[in-house]
Structure formats: structure tokens, C-alpha cells
Amino acid sequence: MLPIEKLKSLSERHRELEELLCVPEIIADTRRYTLLRREHADLGAIVETFARHQKATTQLADDRGALTDPELRSMAEEEIPLLEVELVELEKAIELLLLPTDPNDAR
């Protein structure tokens, strides 16, 4: 089970960092700008993968709802297994991305 609240919090922080990186005072402070830019970059993969997970989750729910519609049923039956596999892969990727990084990797 994914820590959805934590992922939402990280997504919000990513958006906040995008705004901060446009503030002239922060741009002028090279050290702070560099730290915030690095944090923004570190969160990028997690946020992108979580967004893909959210989109696939929504699509899966929509497809399951479409099973009751005779015109959409065959399309939904094809997409549901693919989305289920995609969600498992995305969850694994998110779990890996949430692991703490080794500080020595940056050296």
C-alpha cells in the first residue's frame, strides 16, 4: 500500500519549489537557489511517477464503471488488465523512489 498522503505532500512541495525557484530574491541567493533546485530535481521522478499512478487509478475506475455499458464493455475489458499491470509496476517504482538515497551517490 502506497503512502498516499506522503506522496501528495511531496507533490505539493514540488509545486511550492517551482514557485520559489521563480522568486528573484531566491535566484539572487546562489546557495539557496542551488539547494532548492536540487530538492526540486530530487522530487521530480517521484512526483511524475505518482501522477502517472493517479491517472492510471482514475482510468481503471472509469473502465470498471464502463463494464456496465454494452458499447464500452469490450474496450474496458481490454484495458483493465493492462491498467492493473501498469499500477503494480508504478507502485514498485514509487516504493523504490521513496527509499532514502545514499549521500555518497552524489560524490
Side-chain angles (χ1 to χ4, degrees), residues 20-32:
L20 288 173
L21 290 170
C22 294
V23 174
E25 292 82 12
I26 292 176
I27 294 170
D29 183 349
T30 308
R31 183 176 179 275
R32 185 167 182 213

Side-chain angles (χ1 to χ4, degrees), residues 10-50:
L10 292 173
S11 294
E12 181 59 34
R13 177 63 179 161
H14 190 260
R15 281 189 292 278
E16 180 183 314
L17 288 167
E18 286 176 348
E19 292 176 17
L20 288 173
L21 290 170
C22 294
V23 174
E25 292 82 12
I26 292 176
I27 294 170
D29 183 349
T30 308
R31 183 176 179 275
R32 185 167 182 213
Y33 180 79
T34 301
L35 290 172
L36 293 177
R37 201 177 62 148
R38 186 173 296 136
E39 182 183 355
H40 180 264
D42 289 345
L43 292 176
I46 295 170
V47 169
E48 179 186 332
T49 306
F50 179 57

